[in-house]
Amino acid sequence: MTAAGVSVHFARRRLPASVRRKRFLLAVANHSVLIAAAVAFLAPFVFITLTALMTNGQALSARLWPHPFAWHNFVDVFTTAPIWRWVLNTLQYSVLATLGVVISSVPVAYALARLQWRGRNAAFMVVLVALMLPPQVSVVPLYVMWAKLHLVGTLWPVIIPN
Amino acid sequence: MSPWLVGFSVFFGYPLVMSVYLSFNHYDLLSPPHWVGLANYRYLFTVDPQVWTAVKNTLWITGVAVPLQVLFAFGIALMLARARRGVGIFRTIFYLPALAPPVAATLGFVYILNPVTGPVNTILGKIGINGPLWFQDPSWAKPSLVVLGLWGVGNTMVIFLAAVLDVPRHLYESAELDGAGPLQRLRWVTLPSISPVILFAVVLGVIQGLQYFTQAYVAANVASGQASQAADVTAASLGYPLDSTLFYPVLFYQHGFSDFQMGYASAMAMLLLVVSFAVTLVIVVRSRRWVHTVAAVR
């Protein structure tokens, strides 16, 4: 940060007005494009938020602005579905899976990146192949396996593989 | 290493071996598999009428979406690296969509891009443009998915941004002293410096492109439901409209999980695996010509 500041400082002192103006215009252009892109990126969120505040009938019409605002949707979410249960499931999954990932992959990453051992490249290739295996392939053999372990219907089958 | 090794063999090794085995079998998930030799592969290469469409669609999405996503992510990263203020806000905005779960994002897009009631076409209509039919039009369905992919490009963008900011300043300064203009600095300093990151993005993008499934599956289901308002949204909707979103993994899913031909689906998966591996190998081997690696600690 300081290095950049210093060089800008020197550059400012040297540069003639025309160059400085050119740089200013370039910065303006840069920011304009960024702002336009940011608006485009945010638009879907805005549309979805607005729709979340519409009644069902309105959501299926071409109206852009909710009229009237159906704040009640946000209450319904909690009353019509067991959302707390779902949130709990998600929390349980993410906490345990994250812990598992960190504990199990750090030693492997270390082994693959830092240690020299015979077959290191082969092992790395195997990891890459695993990435290429479409998840749908493994579903059936794995389901049979989980069924044998009597863990079907619990969250463990989604947590452990991570 | 060893707990991971156990997990790895159980969750990747075992299914992989099972899939190889099943690909030589007829297996409907109910009765035990029985050996049919190469019949699945013969059907895959010579008979199955939909395979060619699925392959073409998958190559299309990989060939169009991956380069566009890499270019787009790189462009935004370059502009962000150059921005004088608000970098934090911009970075957050561009990264935000990457946090949306793919299923939710696809649902949202199909809704927003609804040809009749969607806000995008409504706004386009107000300024006098007749919007396309998006997910309802066979020639617009894949481009719509590309737009969805570009929107979720945040991960790649953040990696590119870190790489661009990591290019040593003195390289730019010496290039400038040698009289290099902005474009030359981009070509001869920035690009070589971040080439390992480009390779990473391309390889990962291609692997994911060949496995493109979730978005296509959800989009086809929801869009066909919008069109018909019918409750029947299973096999008929895959690839909607008119097989334009029938990607290879979608076809494979259809064979395995709605036609219950698990043996044949395994054969399809094996082909996908071999192709992904070959493509990745070609990219990595060819990359030695254009990727600059700083001498690693050996």
Side-chain angles (χ1 to χ4, degrees), chain A residues 30-31 41 51 59-61 108 126 131-132 134 136-138 140 146, chain B residues 4 8 11 15 19 79 84-85 111 117 151 211 213 252 262 269 272:
Chain A
N30 192 30
H31 277 263
F41 266 63
T51 309
L60 293 173
S61 74
V108 182
V126 173
L131 269 184
M132 290 171 211
Q136 295 91 348
V137 183
S138 42
V140 171
W146 291 120
Chain B
W4 178 82
F8 194 80
F11 299 113
S19 304
M79 288 193 294
R84 292 193 183 173
R85 56 184 64 186
Y111 173 80
T117 61
W151 186 63
Q211 292 185 13
F213 175 77
F252 149 95
M262 217 50 215
L272 177 58

PDB file of all heavy atoms in Angstrom, chain A residues 30-31 41 51 59-61 108 126 131-132 134 136-138 140 146, chain B residues 4 8 11 15 19 79 84-85 111 117 151 211 213 252 262 269 272:
ATOM      1  N   ASN A  30     -13.745   3.394 -16.202  1.00  0.00           N
ATOM      2  CA  ASN A  30     -13.604   2.146 -15.450  1.00  0.00           C
ATOM      3  C   ASN A  30     -14.725   1.997 -14.428  1.00  0.00           C
ATOM      4  O   ASN A  30     -15.405   0.980 -14.367  1.00  0.00           O
ATOM      5  CB  ASN A  30     -12.235   2.156 -14.764  1.00  0.00           C
ATOM      6  CG  ASN A  30     -11.872   0.795 -14.214  1.00  0.00           C
ATOM      7  OD1 ASN A  30     -12.300  -0.217 -14.761  1.00  0.00           O
ATOM      8  ND2 ASN A  30     -11.111   0.765 -13.141  1.00  0.00           N
ATOM      9  N   HIS A  31     -14.945   3.076 -13.665  1.00  0.00           N
ATOM     10  CA  HIS A  31     -15.976   3.020 -12.637  1.00  0.00           C
ATOM     11  C   HIS A  31     -17.367   2.922 -13.239  1.00  0.00           C
ATOM     12  O   HIS A  31     -18.231   2.246 -12.683  1.00  0.00           O
ATOM     13  CB  HIS A  31     -15.883   4.243 -11.710  1.00  0.00           C
ATOM     14  CG  HIS A  31     -14.859   4.061 -10.631  1.00  0.00           C
ATOM     15  ND1 HIS A  31     -15.187   3.652  -9.371  1.00  0.00           N
ATOM     16  CD2 HIS A  31     -13.519   4.197 -10.647  1.00  0.00           C
ATOM     17  CE1 HIS A  31     -14.082   3.547  -8.646  1.00  0.00           C
ATOM     18  NE2 HIS A  31     -13.054   3.875  -9.402  1.00  0.00           N
ATOM     19  N   PHE A  41     -25.681  -7.201 -11.827  1.00  0.00           N
ATOM     20  CA  PHE A  41     -25.506  -8.331 -10.904  1.00  0.00           C
ATOM     21  C   PHE A  41     -26.517  -8.286  -9.766  1.00  0.00           C
ATOM     22  O   PHE A  41     -26.917  -9.322  -9.245  1.00  0.00           O
ATOM     23  CB  PHE A  41     -24.077  -8.323 -10.330  1.00  0.00           C
ATOM     24  CG  PHE A  41     -23.133  -9.191 -11.100  1.00  0.00           C
ATOM     25  CD1 PHE A  41     -22.838  -8.915 -12.423  1.00  0.00           C
ATOM     26  CD2 PHE A  41     -22.549 -10.304 -10.517  1.00  0.00           C
ATOM     27  CE1 PHE A  41     -21.990  -9.715 -13.147  1.00  0.00           C
ATOM     28  CE2 PHE A  41     -21.688 -11.115 -11.242  1.00  0.00           C
ATOM     29  CZ  PHE A  41     -21.407 -10.816 -12.556  1.00  0.00           C
ATOM     30  N   THR A  51     -40.479  -9.732  -5.601  1.00  0.00           N
ATOM     31  CA  THR A  51     -41.456 -10.804  -5.781  1.00  0.00           C
ATOM     32  C   THR A  51     -41.824 -11.441  -4.451  1.00  0.00           C
ATOM     33  O   THR A  51     -42.964 -11.850  -4.237  1.00  0.00           O
ATOM     34  CB  THR A  51     -40.898 -11.879  -6.722  1.00  0.00           C
ATOM     35  OG1 THR A  51     -40.434 -11.240  -7.897  1.00  0.00           O
ATOM     36  CG2 THR A  51     -41.964 -12.882  -7.091  1.00  0.00           C
ATOM     37  N   ALA A  59     -47.442 -12.125  -8.311  1.00  0.00           N
ATOM     38  CA  ALA A  59     -46.166 -12.686  -8.714  1.00  0.00           C
ATOM     39  C   ALA A  59     -46.263 -13.302 -10.100  1.00  0.00           C
ATOM     40  O   ALA A  59     -45.290 -13.354 -10.842  1.00  0.00           O
ATOM     41  CB  ALA A  59     -45.702 -13.736  -7.710  1.00  0.00           C
ATOM     42  N   LEU A  60     -47.472 -13.765 -10.449  1.00  0.00           N
ATOM     43  CA  LEU A  60     -47.643 -14.386 -11.766  1.00  0.00           C
ATOM     44  C   LEU A  60     -48.065 -13.377 -12.827  1.00  0.00           C
ATOM     45  O   LEU A  60     -48.352 -13.734 -13.955  1.00  0.00           O
ATOM     46  CB  LEU A  60     -48.673 -15.516 -11.676  1.00  0.00           C
ATOM     47  CG  LEU A  60     -48.209 -16.705 -10.828  1.00  0.00           C
ATOM     48  CD1 LEU A  60     -49.329 -17.711 -10.650  1.00  0.00           C
ATOM     49  CD2 LEU A  60     -46.991 -17.360 -11.456  1.00  0.00           C
ATOM     50  N   SER A  61     -48.126 -12.108 -12.463  1.00  0.00           N
ATOM     51  CA  SER A  61     -48.465 -11.087 -13.453  1.00  0.00           C
ATOM     52  C   SER A  61     -47.205 -10.338 -13.859  1.00  0.00           C
ATOM     53  O   SER A  61     -46.128 -10.599 -13.358  1.00  0.00           O
ATOM     54  CB  SER A  61     -49.471 -10.103 -12.866  1.00  0.00           C
ATOM     55  OG  SER A  61     -48.814  -9.258 -11.936  1.00  0.00           O
ATOM     56  N   VAL A 108      -3.614 -34.305   4.042  1.00  0.00           N
ATOM     57  CA  VAL A 108      -3.472 -34.743   2.652  1.00  0.00           C
ATOM     58  C   VAL A 108      -2.871 -33.646   1.804  1.00  0.00           C
ATOM     59  O   VAL A 108      -1.951 -33.872   1.008  1.00  0.00           O
ATOM     60  CB  VAL A 108      -4.838 -35.143   2.075  1.00  0.00           C
ATOM     61  CG1 VAL A 108      -4.670 -35.633   0.659  1.00  0.00           C
ATOM     62  CG2 VAL A 108      -5.466 -36.196   2.929  1.00  0.00           C
ATOM     63  N   VAL A 126      -5.189 -39.349  -9.062  1.00  0.00           N
ATOM     64  CA  VAL A 126      -6.374 -40.047  -8.555  1.00  0.00           C
ATOM     65  C   VAL A 126      -7.364 -39.035  -7.968  1.00  0.00           C
ATOM     66  O   VAL A 126      -8.575 -39.119  -8.195  1.00  0.00           O
ATOM     67  CB  VAL A 126      -5.982 -41.106  -7.501  1.00  0.00           C
ATOM     68  CG1 VAL A 126      -7.228 -41.688  -6.856  1.00  0.00           C
ATOM     69  CG2 VAL A 126      -5.163 -42.205  -8.147  1.00  0.00           C
ATOM     70  N   LEU A 131     -12.526 -35.946  -8.851  1.00  0.00           N
ATOM     71  CA  LEU A 131     -13.272 -34.724  -9.144  1.00  0.00           C
ATOM     72  C   LEU A 131     -14.092 -34.877 -10.416  1.00  0.00           C
ATOM     73  O   LEU A 131     -15.139 -34.264 -10.571  1.00  0.00           O
ATOM     74  CB  LEU A 131     -12.293 -33.566  -9.355  1.00  0.00           C
ATOM     75  CG  LEU A 131     -11.901 -32.739  -8.152  1.00  0.00           C
ATOM     76  CD1 LEU A 131     -11.009 -31.609  -8.586  1.00  0.00           C
ATOM     77  CD2 LEU A 131     -13.145 -32.189  -7.490  1.00  0.00           C
ATOM     78  N   MET A 132     -13.556 -35.697 -11.357  1.00  0.00           N
ATOM     79  CA  MET A 132     -14.220 -35.815 -12.655  1.00  0.00           C
ATOM     80  C   MET A 132     -15.355 -36.825 -12.620  1.00  0.00           C
ATOM     81  O   MET A 132     -16.122 -36.919 -13.555  1.00  0.00           O
ATOM     82  CB  MET A 132     -13.223 -36.274 -13.713  1.00  0.00           C
ATOM     83  CG  MET A 132     -12.205 -35.232 -14.064  1.00  0.00           C
ATOM     84  SD  MET A 132     -10.995 -36.008 -15.095  1.00  0.00           S
ATOM     85  CE  MET A 132      -9.573 -35.083 -14.635  1.00  0.00           C
ATOM     86  N   PRO A 134     -18.714 -38.056 -12.169  1.00  0.00           N
ATOM     87  CA  PRO A 134     -20.000 -37.398 -11.933  1.00  0.00           C
ATOM     88  C   PRO A 134     -20.637 -37.961 -10.666  1.00  0.00           C
ATOM     89  O   PRO A 134     -20.630 -39.170 -10.467  1.00  0.00           O
ATOM     90  CB  PRO A 134     -20.836 -37.775 -13.159  1.00  0.00           C
ATOM     91  CG  PRO A 134     -19.877 -38.297 -14.155  1.00  0.00           C
ATOM     92  CD  PRO A 134     -18.704 -38.823 -13.409  1.00  0.00           C
ATOM     93  N   GLN A 136     -23.520 -38.514  -9.807  1.00  0.00           N
ATOM     94  CA  GLN A 136     -24.624 -39.458  -9.974  1.00  0.00           C
ATOM     95  C   GLN A 136     -24.127 -40.894 -10.072  1.00  0.00           C
ATOM     96  O   GLN A 136     -24.854 -41.828  -9.768  1.00  0.00           O
ATOM     97  CB  GLN A 136     -25.426 -39.130 -11.239  1.00  0.00           C
ATOM     98  CG  GLN A 136     -26.141 -37.807 -11.192  1.00  0.00           C
ATOM     99  CD  GLN A 136     -25.279 -36.686 -11.742  1.00  0.00           C
ATOM    100  OE1 GLN A 136     -24.085 -36.866 -11.940  1.00  0.00           O
ATOM    101  NE2 GLN A 136     -25.870 -35.536 -11.962  1.00  0.00           N
ATOM    102  N   VAL A 137     -22.868 -41.065 -10.516  1.00  0.00           N
ATOM    103  CA  VAL A 137     -22.332 -42.414 -10.678  1.00  0.00           C
ATOM    104  C   VAL A 137     -22.294 -43.152  -9.358  1.00  0.00           C
ATOM    105  O   VAL A 137     -22.620 -44.330  -9.260  1.00  0.00           O
ATOM    106  CB  VAL A 137     -20.896 -42.359 -11.217  1.00  0.00           C
ATOM    107  CG1 VAL A 137     -20.372 -43.759 -11.448  1.00  0.00           C
ATOM    108  CG2 VAL A 137     -20.833 -41.552 -12.471  1.00  0.00           C
ATOM    109  N   SER A 138     -21.853 -42.419  -8.331  1.00  0.00           N
ATOM    110  CA  SER A 138     -21.577 -43.100  -7.079  1.00  0.00           C
ATOM    111  C   SER A 138     -22.821 -43.273  -6.231  1.00  0.00           C
ATOM    112  O   SER A 138     -22.782 -43.952  -5.213  1.00  0.00           O
ATOM    113  CB  SER A 138     -20.504 -42.332  -6.318  1.00  0.00           C
ATOM    114  OG  SER A 138     -20.744 -40.961  -6.397  1.00  0.00           O
ATOM    115  N   VAL A 140     -25.697 -44.922  -6.516  1.00  0.00           N
ATOM    116  CA  VAL A 140     -26.290 -46.229  -6.276  1.00  0.00           C
ATOM    117  C   VAL A 140     -25.427 -47.128  -5.392  1.00  0.00           C
ATOM    118  O   VAL A 140     -25.899 -47.616  -4.365  1.00  0.00           O
ATOM    119  CB  VAL A 140     -26.647 -46.912  -7.606  1.00  0.00           C
ATOM    120  CG1 VAL A 140     -27.063 -48.344  -7.368  1.00  0.00           C
ATOM    121  CG2 VAL A 140     -27.752 -46.142  -8.289  1.00  0.00           C
ATOM    122  N   TRP A 146     -24.747 -47.464   2.505  1.00  0.00           N
ATOM    123  CA  TRP A 146     -25.351 -46.807   3.679  1.00  0.00           C
ATOM    124  C   TRP A 146     -26.483 -47.651   4.246  1.00  0.00           C
ATOM    125  O   TRP A 146     -26.670 -47.725   5.453  1.00  0.00           O
ATOM    126  CB  TRP A 146     -25.872 -45.417   3.324  1.00  0.00           C
ATOM    127  CG  TRP A 146     -24.792 -44.440   3.028  1.00  0.00           C
ATOM    128  CD1 TRP A 146     -24.608 -43.757   1.870  1.00  0.00           C
ATOM    129  CD2 TRP A 146     -23.728 -44.042   3.890  1.00  0.00           C
ATOM    130  NE1 TRP A 146     -23.502 -42.967   1.957  1.00  0.00           N
ATOM    131  CE2 TRP A 146     -22.938 -43.116   3.179  1.00  0.00           C
ATOM    132  CE3 TRP A 146     -23.355 -44.380   5.195  1.00  0.00           C
ATOM    133  CZ2 TRP A 146     -21.815 -42.524   3.719  1.00  0.00           C
ATOM    134  CZ3 TRP A 146     -22.237 -43.792   5.735  1.00  0.00           C
ATOM    135  CH2 TRP A 146     -21.471 -42.882   5.007  1.00  0.00           C
TER     136      TRP A 146
ATOM    137  N   TRP B   4      -8.119 -40.052   5.782  1.00  0.00           N
ATOM    138  CA  TRP B   4      -8.567 -39.558   4.495  1.00  0.00           C
ATOM    139  C   TRP B   4      -8.507 -40.678   3.454  1.00  0.00           C
ATOM    140  O   TRP B   4      -9.400 -40.825   2.625  1.00  0.00           O
ATOM    141  CB  TRP B   4      -7.687 -38.387   4.070  1.00  0.00           C
ATOM    142  CG  TRP B   4      -8.070 -37.852   2.732  1.00  0.00           C
ATOM    143  CD1 TRP B   4      -9.079 -36.981   2.461  1.00  0.00           C
ATOM    144  CD2 TRP B   4      -7.470 -38.173   1.483  1.00  0.00           C
ATOM    145  NE1 TRP B   4      -9.136 -36.741   1.117  1.00  0.00           N
ATOM    146  CE2 TRP B   4      -8.160 -37.452   0.486  1.00  0.00           C
ATOM    147  CE3 TRP B   4      -6.407 -38.998   1.104  1.00  0.00           C
ATOM    148  CZ2 TRP B   4      -7.827 -37.532  -0.845  1.00  0.00           C
ATOM    149  CZ3 TRP B   4      -6.083 -39.074  -0.227  1.00  0.00           C
ATOM    150  CH2 TRP B   4      -6.787 -38.351  -1.193  1.00  0.00           C
ATOM    151  N   PHE B   8     -11.452 -41.870   1.253  1.00  0.00           N
ATOM    152  CA  PHE B   8     -11.303 -41.753  -0.189  1.00  0.00           C
ATOM    153  C   PHE B   8     -11.602 -43.081  -0.885  1.00  0.00           C
ATOM    154  O   PHE B   8     -12.339 -43.127  -1.866  1.00  0.00           O
ATOM    155  CB  PHE B   8      -9.883 -41.291  -0.508  1.00  0.00           C
ATOM    156  CG  PHE B   8      -9.729 -40.836  -1.917  1.00  0.00           C
ATOM    157  CD1 PHE B   8     -10.136 -39.576  -2.286  1.00  0.00           C
ATOM    158  CD2 PHE B   8      -9.188 -41.679  -2.869  1.00  0.00           C
ATOM    159  CE1 PHE B   8     -10.010 -39.151  -3.592  1.00  0.00           C
ATOM    160  CE2 PHE B   8      -9.053 -41.256  -4.168  1.00  0.00           C
ATOM    161  CZ  PHE B   8      -9.471 -39.992  -4.540  1.00  0.00           C
ATOM    162  N   PHE B  11     -15.450 -43.798  -0.486  1.00  0.00           N
ATOM    163  CA  PHE B  11     -16.435 -42.953  -1.149  1.00  0.00           C
ATOM    164  C   PHE B  11     -16.120 -42.662  -2.603  1.00  0.00           C
ATOM    165  O   PHE B  11     -16.961 -42.169  -3.327  1.00  0.00           O
ATOM    166  CB  PHE B  11     -16.604 -41.651  -0.376  1.00  0.00           C
ATOM    167  CG  PHE B  11     -17.079 -41.897   1.008  1.00  0.00           C
ATOM    168  CD1 PHE B  11     -16.280 -41.628   2.097  1.00  0.00           C
ATOM    169  CD2 PHE B  11     -18.329 -42.455   1.219  1.00  0.00           C
ATOM    170  CE1 PHE B  11     -16.717 -41.886   3.374  1.00  0.00           C
ATOM    171  CE2 PHE B  11     -18.766 -42.720   2.493  1.00  0.00           C
ATOM    172  CZ  PHE B  11     -17.964 -42.438   3.579  1.00  0.00           C
ATOM    173  N   PRO B  15     -17.214 -46.762  -5.291  1.00  0.00           N
ATOM    174  CA  PRO B  15     -18.198 -46.469  -6.332  1.00  0.00           C
ATOM    175  C   PRO B  15     -17.602 -46.539  -7.736  1.00  0.00           C
ATOM    176  O   PRO B  15     -18.273 -46.982  -8.662  1.00  0.00           O
ATOM    177  CB  PRO B  15     -18.646 -45.034  -6.024  1.00  0.00           C
ATOM    178  CG  PRO B  15     -18.269 -44.804  -4.626  1.00  0.00           C
ATOM    179  CD  PRO B  15     -17.103 -45.660  -4.332  1.00  0.00           C
ATOM    180  N   SER B  19     -18.982 -48.896 -10.541  1.00  0.00           N
ATOM    181  CA  SER B  19     -19.525 -48.366 -11.783  1.00  0.00           C
ATOM    182  C   SER B  19     -18.892 -49.047 -12.987  1.00  0.00           C
ATOM    183  O   SER B  19     -19.570 -49.330 -13.973  1.00  0.00           O
ATOM    184  CB  SER B  19     -19.287 -46.863 -11.875  1.00  0.00           C
ATOM    185  OG  SER B  19     -19.820 -46.232 -10.759  1.00  0.00           O
ATOM    186  N   MET B  79     -10.718  -4.688 -13.861  1.00  0.00           N
ATOM    187  CA  MET B  79     -11.322  -3.388 -13.559  1.00  0.00           C
ATOM    188  C   MET B  79     -11.311  -3.121 -12.054  1.00  0.00           C
ATOM    189  O   MET B  79     -11.064  -2.001 -11.617  1.00  0.00           O
ATOM    190  CB  MET B  79     -12.755  -3.337 -14.092  1.00  0.00           C
ATOM    191  CG  MET B  79     -12.806  -3.253 -15.604  1.00  0.00           C
ATOM    192  SD  MET B  79     -14.443  -2.826 -16.200  1.00  0.00           S
ATOM    193  CE  MET B  79     -15.361  -4.247 -15.739  1.00  0.00           C
ATOM    194  N   ARG B  84     -10.401   2.944  -8.063  1.00  0.00           N
ATOM    195  CA  ARG B  84      -9.746   3.753  -7.032  1.00  0.00           C
ATOM    196  C   ARG B  84     -10.495   3.678  -5.719  1.00  0.00           C
ATOM    197  O   ARG B  84      -9.917   3.731  -4.660  1.00  0.00           O
ATOM    198  CB  ARG B  84      -9.666   5.200  -7.484  1.00  0.00           C
ATOM    199  CG  ARG B  84      -8.720   5.323  -8.656  1.00  0.00           C
ATOM    200  CD  ARG B  84      -8.388   6.751  -8.922  1.00  0.00           C
ATOM    201  NE  ARG B  84      -7.527   6.810 -10.106  1.00  0.00           N
ATOM    202  CZ  ARG B  84      -7.180   7.932 -10.667  1.00  0.00           C
ATOM    203  NH1 ARG B  84      -7.600   9.079 -10.175  1.00  0.00           N
ATOM    204  NH2 ARG B  84      -6.408   7.927 -11.725  1.00  0.00           N
ATOM    205  N   ARG B  85     -11.804   3.619  -5.791  1.00  0.00           N
ATOM    206  CA  ARG B  85     -12.549   3.502  -4.531  1.00  0.00           C
ATOM    207  C   ARG B  85     -13.734   2.559  -4.699  1.00  0.00           C
ATOM    208  O   ARG B  85     -14.125   2.244  -5.815  1.00  0.00           O
ATOM    209  CB  ARG B  85     -13.003   4.870  -4.042  1.00  0.00           C
ATOM    210  CG  ARG B  85     -13.825   5.638  -5.023  1.00  0.00           C
ATOM    211  CD  ARG B  85     -14.146   6.997  -4.487  1.00  0.00           C
ATOM    212  NE  ARG B  85     -12.914   7.789  -4.325  1.00  0.00           N
ATOM    213  CZ  ARG B  85     -12.884   8.985  -3.762  1.00  0.00           C
ATOM    214  NH1 ARG B  85     -13.979   9.500  -3.271  1.00  0.00           N
ATOM    215  NH2 ARG B  85     -11.776   9.678  -3.667  1.00  0.00           N
ATOM    216  N   TYR B 111     -37.740 -17.599 -13.372  1.00  0.00           N
ATOM    217  CA  TYR B 111     -38.838 -16.698 -13.036  1.00  0.00           C
ATOM    218  C   TYR B 111     -38.600 -15.305 -13.643  1.00  0.00           C
ATOM    219  O   TYR B 111     -39.475 -14.737 -14.295  1.00  0.00           O
ATOM    220  CB  TYR B 111     -38.983 -16.595 -11.517  1.00  0.00           C
ATOM    221  CG  TYR B 111     -39.985 -15.560 -11.112  1.00  0.00           C
ATOM    222  CD1 TYR B 111     -41.348 -15.837 -11.135  1.00  0.00           C
ATOM    223  CD2 TYR B 111     -39.568 -14.283 -10.753  1.00  0.00           C
ATOM    224  CE1 TYR B 111     -42.265 -14.875 -10.793  1.00  0.00           C
ATOM    225  CE2 TYR B 111     -40.482 -13.317 -10.413  1.00  0.00           C
ATOM    226  CZ  TYR B 111     -41.830 -13.610 -10.427  1.00  0.00           C
ATOM    227  OH  TYR B 111     -42.736 -12.655 -10.105  1.00  0.00           O
ATOM    228  N   THR B 117     -44.383 -12.782 -18.144  1.00  0.00           N
ATOM    229  CA  THR B 117     -44.577 -12.043 -16.895  1.00  0.00           C
ATOM    230  C   THR B 117     -43.273 -11.666 -16.206  1.00  0.00           C
ATOM    231  O   THR B 117     -43.294 -10.976 -15.199  1.00  0.00           O
ATOM    232  CB  THR B 117     -45.416 -12.889 -15.920  1.00  0.00           C
ATOM    233  OG1 THR B 117     -44.698 -14.088 -15.656  1.00  0.00           O
ATOM    234  CG2 THR B 117     -46.751 -13.238 -16.494  1.00  0.00           C
ATOM    235  N   TRP B 151     -23.448 -14.857 -14.278  1.00  0.00           N
ATOM    236  CA  TRP B 151     -23.894 -14.182 -13.056  1.00  0.00           C
ATOM    237  C   TRP B 151     -23.204 -14.805 -11.840  1.00  0.00           C
ATOM    238  O   TRP B 151     -22.893 -14.125 -10.877  1.00  0.00           O
ATOM    239  CB  TRP B 151     -25.420 -14.320 -12.959  1.00  0.00           C
ATOM    240  CG  TRP B 151     -26.056 -13.567 -11.846  1.00  0.00           C
ATOM    241  CD1 TRP B 151     -26.068 -12.216 -11.686  1.00  0.00           C
ATOM    242  CD2 TRP B 151     -26.774 -14.120 -10.753  1.00  0.00           C
ATOM    243  NE1 TRP B 151     -26.768 -11.898 -10.560  1.00  0.00           N
ATOM    244  CE2 TRP B 151     -27.217 -13.038  -9.964  1.00  0.00           C
ATOM    245  CE3 TRP B 151     -27.108 -15.412 -10.349  1.00  0.00           C
ATOM    246  CZ2 TRP B 151     -27.956 -13.215  -8.805  1.00  0.00           C
ATOM    247  CZ3 TRP B 151     -27.851 -15.577  -9.206  1.00  0.00           C
ATOM    248  CH2 TRP B 151     -28.272 -14.485  -8.448  1.00  0.00           C
ATOM    249  N   GLN B 211     -19.784 -31.801 -16.820  1.00  0.00           N
ATOM    250  CA  GLN B 211     -20.739 -32.396 -15.871  1.00  0.00           C
ATOM    251  C   GLN B 211     -21.970 -31.522 -15.679  1.00  0.00           C
ATOM    252  O   GLN B 211     -22.750 -31.723 -14.753  1.00  0.00           O
ATOM    253  CB  GLN B 211     -20.076 -32.582 -14.508  1.00  0.00           C
ATOM    254  CG  GLN B 211     -19.005 -33.620 -14.498  1.00  0.00           C
ATOM    255  CD  GLN B 211     -18.461 -33.842 -13.105  1.00  0.00           C
ATOM    256  OE1 GLN B 211     -19.034 -33.407 -12.122  1.00  0.00           O
ATOM    257  NE2 GLN B 211     -17.339 -34.525 -13.029  1.00  0.00           N
ATOM    258  N   PHE B 213     -25.163 -30.147 -15.055  1.00  0.00           N
ATOM    259  CA  PHE B 213     -26.394 -30.892 -14.815  1.00  0.00           C
ATOM    260  C   PHE B 213     -27.451 -30.078 -14.065  1.00  0.00           C
ATOM    261  O   PHE B 213     -28.545 -29.836 -14.583  1.00  0.00           O
ATOM    262  CB  PHE B 213     -26.087 -32.175 -14.035  1.00  0.00           C
ATOM    263  CG  PHE B 213     -27.302 -32.938 -13.637  1.00  0.00           C
ATOM    264  CD1 PHE B 213     -27.979 -33.695 -14.562  1.00  0.00           C
ATOM    265  CD2 PHE B 213     -27.791 -32.872 -12.341  1.00  0.00           C
ATOM    266  CE1 PHE B 213     -29.119 -34.394 -14.214  1.00  0.00           C
ATOM    267  CE2 PHE B 213     -28.931 -33.563 -11.978  1.00  0.00           C
ATOM    268  CZ  PHE B 213     -29.599 -34.332 -12.920  1.00  0.00           C
ATOM    269  N   PHE B 252     -27.945 -39.092 -19.016  1.00  0.00           N
ATOM    270  CA  PHE B 252     -27.427 -40.145 -18.179  1.00  0.00           C
ATOM    271  C   PHE B 252     -28.290 -40.319 -16.920  1.00  0.00           C
ATOM    272  O   PHE B 252     -28.635 -41.432 -16.531  1.00  0.00           O
ATOM    273  CB  PHE B 252     -25.982 -39.730 -17.906  1.00  0.00           C
ATOM    274  CG  PHE B 252     -25.385 -40.127 -16.633  1.00  0.00           C
ATOM    275  CD1 PHE B 252     -24.630 -41.276 -16.574  1.00  0.00           C
ATOM    276  CD2 PHE B 252     -25.516 -39.347 -15.511  1.00  0.00           C
ATOM    277  CE1 PHE B 252     -24.040 -41.639 -15.394  1.00  0.00           C
ATOM    278  CE2 PHE B 252     -24.926 -39.718 -14.332  1.00  0.00           C
ATOM    279  CZ  PHE B 252     -24.192 -40.870 -14.271  1.00  0.00           C
ATOM    280  N   MET B 262     -29.463 -48.819 -14.805  1.00  0.00           N
ATOM    281  CA  MET B 262     -28.264 -48.372 -14.106  1.00  0.00           C
ATOM    282  C   MET B 262     -26.997 -48.850 -14.805  1.00  0.00           C
ATOM    283  O   MET B 262     -25.987 -48.157 -14.800  1.00  0.00           O
ATOM    284  CB  MET B 262     -28.314 -48.910 -12.672  1.00  0.00           C
ATOM    285  CG  MET B 262     -27.762 -47.960 -11.662  1.00  0.00           C
ATOM    286  SD  MET B 262     -28.481 -46.327 -11.840  1.00  0.00           S
ATOM    287  CE  MET B 262     -27.122 -45.322 -11.411  1.00  0.00           C
ATOM    288  N   ALA B 269     -21.466 -42.984 -17.822  1.00  0.00           N
ATOM    289  CA  ALA B 269     -20.606 -42.278 -16.878  1.00  0.00           C
ATOM    290  C   ALA B 269     -19.141 -42.583 -17.150  1.00  0.00           C
ATOM    291  O   ALA B 269     -18.279 -41.696 -17.066  1.00  0.00           O
ATOM    292  CB  ALA B 269     -20.970 -42.672 -15.454  1.00  0.00           C
ATOM    293  N   LEU B 272     -17.962 -40.500 -19.960  1.00  0.00           N
ATOM    294  CA  LEU B 272     -17.764 -39.119 -19.517  1.00  0.00           C
ATOM    295  C   LEU B 272     -16.449 -38.986 -18.749  1.00  0.00           C
ATOM    296  O   LEU B 272     -15.676 -38.045 -18.950  1.00  0.00           O
ATOM    297  CB  LEU B 272     -18.941 -38.684 -18.639  1.00  0.00           C
ATOM    298  CG  LEU B 272     -18.857 -37.280 -18.041  1.00  0.00           C
ATOM    299  CD1 LEU B 272     -18.731 -36.246 -19.135  1.00  0.00           C
ATOM    300  CD2 LEU B 272     -20.082 -36.984 -17.194  1.00  0.00           C
TER     301      LEU B 272
END
